[in-house]
Amino acid sequence: MKYHNLVFKLFVTVAVLIGLMACNPEKKLAIEFASKAGAKNLLVIAPDYLFKTNLKTYLMDSLGIGDDENKDSILLIHSEYLSDLNDSLFIVNYMLGYNKALSSFGFRVFTQDQTEEFLNLDSNSYQVNIAQIEIEETLYTYRDEVNVYEKNFYHDHNLNAVYVNSWFEIYNLNDNIDNQQIYFTTDMISDIPDGSFDYDIFSGKVRYMYNIDSLKVDVLYDFAYRLGKEYAGYTFDFLLNDELNKKIHPDARSTKYWRYDPINHIFFPATDDKFIPLNE
């Protein structure tokens, strides 16, 4: 029995070592990519305007309006946030966060005003086109719940929420542009509920008390900046994994989509925090 256990342990040890050796080329290339990011040039194209959609269609009934032909315009006028949101300020903050974060990764970042200078560069040049940003206003149902003495109590909040949907085109200028992909990502911000359940052990009744930190238009500009920073990280990760896919044989490439933390200089597997390819 001891002999079989020893053989099994040796087998596991060898398997682990083989796995580590197989991952070494991938890790080595990833580290090299991060260390040489300064050799890559990125031309970033910003969108000219925002697409805005108010999904609170129930407002048409409450307003007593049945004009389907002008529904979108009417809903936009009666929106909580979209009608007051400044497109230019939102885009400026989004792009500021995006470009600053790209630069912090080491990339040489060029704006649309620097296109001529960018086109004179020889190699390692990429174009990032933020093709579209859509802002959707809606309601988001959030359930606050607690279990007390094996009984479940809950309260549903209908929160004001804003989704920001973004479409990116990213391609190497040396590649065939006809094969370029479109990538999508979305994030949401909403009112913030702060609630608590008060359970009366004598009556068995529960009272729910809460406050709502309401979403304001001004908060959306800060949200745009934070999204820009986050999506710069997605862009770095996309270019990193694209490099790994090109330089490592499929049999030696792991199934992981790697993310990079530039603060702690570590690589970790992505979950949902990455671009979604739309036309593969």
Side-chain angles (χ1 to χ4, degrees):
M1 183 65 69
K2 290 183 178 179
Y3 172 79
H4 290 297
N5 286 340
L6 180 60
V7 171
F8 177 75
K9 288 180 180 178
L10 285 172
F11 174 80
V12 171
T13 301
V14 170
V16 170
L17 287 174
I18 291 173
L20 289 173
M21 291 172 64
C23 290
N24 278 339
E26 192 167 314
K27 181 178 179 181
K28 182 179 178 181
L29 275 174
I31 294 172
E32 182 181 341
F33 179 89
S35 65
K36 294 183 177 180
K40 288 183 167 48
N41 312 298
L42 272 63
L43 175 64
V44 179
I45 308 296
D48 295 324
Y49 54 88
L50 301 174
F51 288 85
K52 299 176 181 177
T53 306
N54 186 358
L55 300 178
K56 297 175 179 174
T57 54
Y58 64 87
L59 290 173
M60 296 294 288
D61 292 331
S62 62
L63 292 168
I65 299 174
D67 187 356
D68 288 339
E69 185 176 344
N70 298 307
K71 181 179 70 173
D72 292 342
S73 298
I74 294 170
L75 288 173
L76 185 61
I77 292 171
H78 292 279
S79 62
E80 186 80 17
Y81 309 103
L82 302 182
S83 58
D84 295 325
L85 186 67
N86 185 301
D87 287 32
S88 298
L89 185 55
F90 187 94
I91 293 172
V92 164
N93 278 276
Y94 186 107
M95 299 309 303
L96 180 62
Y98 186 75
N99 289 336
K100 284 185 67 175
L102 283 180
S103 297
S104 72
F105 279 104
F107 294 131
R108 294 182 63 199
V109 180
F110 297 80
T111 62
Q112 195 164 358
D113 295 336
Q114 300 169 299
T115 300
E116 185 175 349
E117 179 185 353
F118 172 82
L119 292 176
N120 289 327
L121 300 172
D122 293 332
S123 60
N124 283 329
S125 297
Y126 298 80
Q127 180 167 316
V128 180
N129 178 27
I130 303 176
Q132 182 174 309
I133 300 176
E134 179 186 35
I135 314 293
E136 293 180 319
E137 180 177 324
T138 188
L139 290 179
Y140 170 71
T141 301
Y142 168 77
R143 173 165 292 186
D144 195 0
E145 57 186 326
V146 67
N147 188 277
V148 180
Y149 297 120
E150 298 184 353
K151 289 184 179 181
N152 197 50
F153 301 92
Y154 66 87
H155 179 86
D156 287 337
H157 296 275
N158 284 322
L159 305 175
N160 283 308
V162 169
Y163 283 86
V164 179
N165 307 317
S166 303
W167 288 261
F168 286 73
E169 296 172 336
I170 307 172
Y171 57 91
N172 188 323
L173 294 188
N174 296 323
D175 292 343
N176 185 355
I177 295 180
D178 292 336
N179 294 329
Q180 72 186 59
Q181 297 284 324
I182 297 175
Y183 301 91
F184 174 78
T185 185
T186 184
D187 273 280
M188 183 266 284
I189 188 171
S190 70
D191 296 333
I192 301 174
D194 180 17
S196 62
F197 293 88
D198 182 20
Y199 181 74
D200 188 327
I201 61 173
F202 298 104
S203 67
K205 294 182 179 179
V206 171
R207 183 174 59 166
Y208 183 73
M209 297 171 290
Y210 68 94
N211 290 308
I212 297 289
D213 184 3
S214 299
L215 181 63
K216 299 290 192 295
V217 172
D218 289 346
V219 175
L220 296 178
Y221 302 121
D222 179 64
F223 186 54
Y225 180 82
R226 289 188 280 120
L227 288 181
K229 289 182 62 177
E230 179 68 15
Y231 298 157
Y234 287 13
T235 302
F236 180 96
D237 301 333
F238 166 79
L239 294 174
L240 164 65
N241 286 275
D242 185 59
E243 183 102 343
L244 296 178
N245 292 337
K246 288 178 178 177
K247 293 188 174 181
I248 298 178
H249 191 277
D251 293 339
R253 175 78 163 97
S254 75
T255 58
K256 292 182 175 64
Y257 186 97
W258 293 105
R259 296 215 64 196
Y260 178 62
D261 176 357
I263 304 299
N264 298 303
H265 305 288
I266 59 173
F267 298 90
F268 59 96
T271 52
D272 295 330
D273 48 346
K274 61 182 179 179
F275 287 135
I276 302 169
L278 294 184
N279 55 344
E280 283 190 339

